[in-house]
Structures are given as structure tokens and as C-alpha cells.
Amino acid sequence: MISYNNDTLTQYLGKLSAREPIPGGGSAAAVAGAMGAALISMSARYSLGKGKPADVEKRINDIIVQADAVRTQLVEFAGKDAQAYLDLTSARKSGDKGLHDRARAEAARVPRDIIELCRACLKLAPYLHQEGNPYLLSDVKAAEAFLNAGIQAASYMQEANS
């Protein structure tokens, strides 16, 4: 399985900009979503310990846990998307229709999962608009932009691979 977990940002962007089939748009969609999830986590962390009621603190802690989990999953999906694309091109060349159909379904499923993860994380943002640290509102809005970019980019990839 392909993984970009140990790449530096410079290494990943170098691979993304190379004349190679992977990583591509689906992987970049996952990375955009992961950046959004990271900003949600950071904004939530800066919202703790500000004298809010216990139930608000608990909800903010829950947001951190959820956003961190989404971020981790999206980083994994950057590699899964790349692998799914390679599997699809290999299956296409094999001439095996059954193998091609299965690879195509997987290549469409990965961006669909990226979309679902980004949407789940996007649902965390409104609470931070209301109860989060007001100095981090611009970061929450940036997170929403990255998550929406992940959704949009993954939807293009899902359409192309369906």
C-alpha cells in the first residue's frame, strides 16, 4: 500500500508536481481535507481552558478527538487513492473485465470516503464558531475552505473514476 505518512511536505509536493500518475487529484483532495481537519483541531485546542462551562469543554475535547481521527484517516486516504489509481490502470491494461470493474469501483469508493470524512469534519466547525476562541475564527473558516476543497476535488475524482 502506498503511504505518504513519512514524506515531508516538500517531498509530497514534489511528487504531486512530477510527471507521474500518482499522487494526483484524489490524493491532493485528501491532503486538503487533512489540513482542514488539522486546523479544526488546532482551533479547538486553543479554545480549551477559557473559563467555559464543563459541557462546552467536553464538547470541544470531543471535537479535538474527532478532528484528529479524521486527519489521520485522510492522510491514509492520500495513499489509498494513489494505490487505487495504480490498481485501476493495471486492471485496465490486463483486459480482465471483472478485475477492471472491481478496480473501478474501488477507485470511485476512495474519493467517496474522502468526501464523507471531510463532511463529517466540516460539521464540527459551527460549534467552534459559537463556542471557540474568537481569535481563531479565521482558522476555523480556513479549515472550512480546505474541507470544502477536499469535498469538491474528491467529487471530481469520484466522477472520473465511476
Side-chain angles (χ1 to χ4, degrees):
M1 179 59 65
I2 295 171
S3 174
Y4 300 109
N5 292 359
N6 296 318
D7 284 11
T8 66
L9 180 59
T10 300
Q11 289 169 327
Y12 175 78
L13 293 175
K15 290 174 184 177
L16 188 62
S17 66
R19 188 176 177 182
E20 296 292 330
I22 61 165
S27 175
V31 171
M35 289 190 303
L39 283 169
I40 291 289
S41 295
M42 184 265 294
S43 300
R45 282 185 171 87
Y46 272 108
S47 299
L48 291 173
K50 301 293 182 190
K52 300 271 185 171
D55 62 321
V56 173
E57 291 275 315
K58 181 185 180 329
R59 176 69 179 120
I60 291 173
N61 271 313
D62 291 345
I63 287 171
I64 293 167
V65 169
Q66 292 169 27
D68 283 348
V70 167
R71 176 180 44 85
T72 299
Q73 291 172 359
L74 285 169
V75 169
E76 292 296 324
F77 271 95
K80 285 182 181 183
D81 181 80
Q83 186 64 58
Y85 182 77
L86 288 180
D87 292 347
L88 177 60
T89 57
S90 176
R92 189 179 298 138
K93 290 175 184 174
S94 77
D96 182 332
K97 183 172 174 10
L99 180 63
H100 180 257
D101 289 346
R102 287 188 299 279
R104 199 167 130 194
E106 177 67 7
R109 184 193 63 76
V110 172
R112 184 191 69 232
D113 290 346
I114 292 168
I115 291 167
E116 288 175 11
L117 286 165
C118 287
R119 284 183 177 154
C121 197
L122 200 53
K123 290 178 182 176
L124 304 173
Y127 194 80
L128 294 175
H129 280 270
Q130 179 183 349
E131 297 291 346
N133 184 326
Y135 296 110
L136 280 287
L137 185 56
S138 60
D139 292 291
V140 175
K141 289 178 180 180
E144 291 169 311
F146 282 116
L147 291 162
N148 280 315
I151 291 166
Q152 188 65 58
S155 70
Y156 294 141
M157 305 318 292
Q158 183 182 24
E159 182 180 321
N161 293 334
S162 294

